[in-house]
Amino acid sequence: DAGVTQSPTHLIKTRGQQVTLRCSPKSGHDTVSWYQQALGQGPQFIFQYYEEEERQRGNFPDRFSGHQFPNYSSELNVNALLLGDSALYLCASSARGMNTEAFFGQGTRLTVV
Amino acid sequence: DQQVKQNSPSLSVQEGRISILNCDYTNSMFDYFLWYKKYPAEGPTFLISISSIKDKNEDGRFTVFLNKSAKHLSLHIVPSQPGDSAVYFCAASAMKTSYDKVIFGPGTSLSVIP
């Protein structure tokens, strides 16, 4: 079992650009959540996808969008990047209807310059 | 609006002693609580959880205590080992209203000194 895999592991982008991050959930999981973790802080919930629809959303602007595919994998898109978007982006997968024990990937470190 | 608080950014404990990590929450709708451990360059790893219908849950060296009236929970690690050195996140969810949306605290960095 490969667990939750994220790609890429590191990324450098310029202000104003757009970025797409990818996540493959753990086998048997159908729900994907995305988190942003700034330095020295806990993960902040961005949104959650289940059955290819956004089900929950945290306090993030519309520049943050996502998608879930039929195989449960997911993408996080961020448009018009700001310096403040520099952070570790974590993907977590879980099985809907189970206890909320989410499994996390290793994250994508995004640096905006 | 920080709904999950961990007021101690760091904690140092001698190997073999007890580590106690504290967490407070403000949202009375939270009914499920989790602790995650995070090593550098890795994603958080689930450690232990507790439902609001319980006041204690134990798993090996790890025990979580929940005091609903005080909106407080704590994680006890006994005995502490050097491999326990990591950042510990307290997290909470409101299963009945927000399903799998999990809110994390800012974390406590635990150092276990050999």
Side-chain angles (χ1 to χ4, degrees):
Chain A
D1 183 0
V4 180
T5 58
Q6 292 185 243
S7 63
T9 54
H10 294 84
L11 201 54
I12 299 175
K13 289 286 190 178
T14 304
R15 267 185 307 175
Q17 285 188 314
Q18 179 264 345
V19 67
T20 298
L21 310 181
R22 295 176 176 81
C23 171
S24 293
K26 180 179 169 63
S27 176
H29 287 181
D30 56 7
T31 301
V32 174
S33 300
W34 286 92
Y35 291 82
Q36 179 194 67
Q37 186 180 13
L39 205 59
Q41 297 183 21
Q44 300 293 311
F45 178 82
I46 303 175
F47 42 53
Q48 180 187 87
Y49 278 83
Y50 170 68
E51 289 186 337
E52 303 179 46
E53 289 189 17
E54 183 182 296
R55 301 289 179 168
Q56 302 270 356
R57 190 175 183 94
N59 295 327
F60 280 81
D62 292 344
R63 298 187 297 109
F64 290 77
S65 63
H67 189 78
Q68 186 179 35
F69 299 93
N71 66 354
Y72 308 121
S73 66
S74 176
E75 288 182 350
L76 164 66
N77 300 294
V78 186
N79 294 322
L81 283 167
L82 304 173
L83 296 179
D85 294 332
S86 296
L88 179 67
Y89 288 85
L90 294 162
C91 168
S93 73
S94 57
R96 189 91 168 172
M98 306 296 288
N99 289 338
T100 52
E101 176 190 326
F103 287 78
F104 281 82
Q106 84 285 359
T108 294
R109 173 69 64 186
L110 173 64
T111 302
V112 182
V113 296
Chain B
D1 178 24
Q2 196 171 35
Q3 298 185 67
V4 178
K5 303 176 184 181
Q6 294 176 260
N7 293 321
S8 298
S10 62
L11 176 68
S12 289
V13 172
Q14 289 285 335
E15 181 179 3
R17 306 294 289 268
I18 183 172
S19 294
I20 300 177
L21 294 90
N22 293 304
C23 175
D24 298 288
Y25 61 95
T26 59
N27 189 340
S28 58
M29 297 300 291
F30 287 149
D31 54 11
Y32 195 73
F33 305 88
L34 312 93
W35 285 93
Y36 281 83
K37 179 170 71 173
K38 186 179 185 302
Y39 293 118
E42 294 183 12
T45 303
F46 171 76
L47 196 56
I48 192 169
S49 63
I50 187 167
S51 166
S52 60
I53 63 173
K54 295 185 175 182
D55 54 20
K56 176 182 175 181
N57 188 27
E58 191 171 354
D59 184 1
R61 296 186 297 113
F62 302 91
T63 303
V64 56
F65 296 92
L66 175 62
N67 182 335
K68 290 185 290 294
S69 61
K71 295 190 176 68
H72 176 82
L73 62 158
S74 60
L75 174 68
H76 292 209
I77 306 173
V78 184
S80 300
Q81 299 174 354
D84 296 329
S85 297
V87 177
Y88 289 77
F89 293 104
C90 172
S93 69
M95 290 288 286
K96 294 178 183 176
T97 57
S98 300
Y99 219 95
D100 295 344
K101 178 178 177 180
V102 180
I103 307 298
F104 283 77
T108 295
S109 178
L110 173 66
S111 296
V112 180
I113 304 165

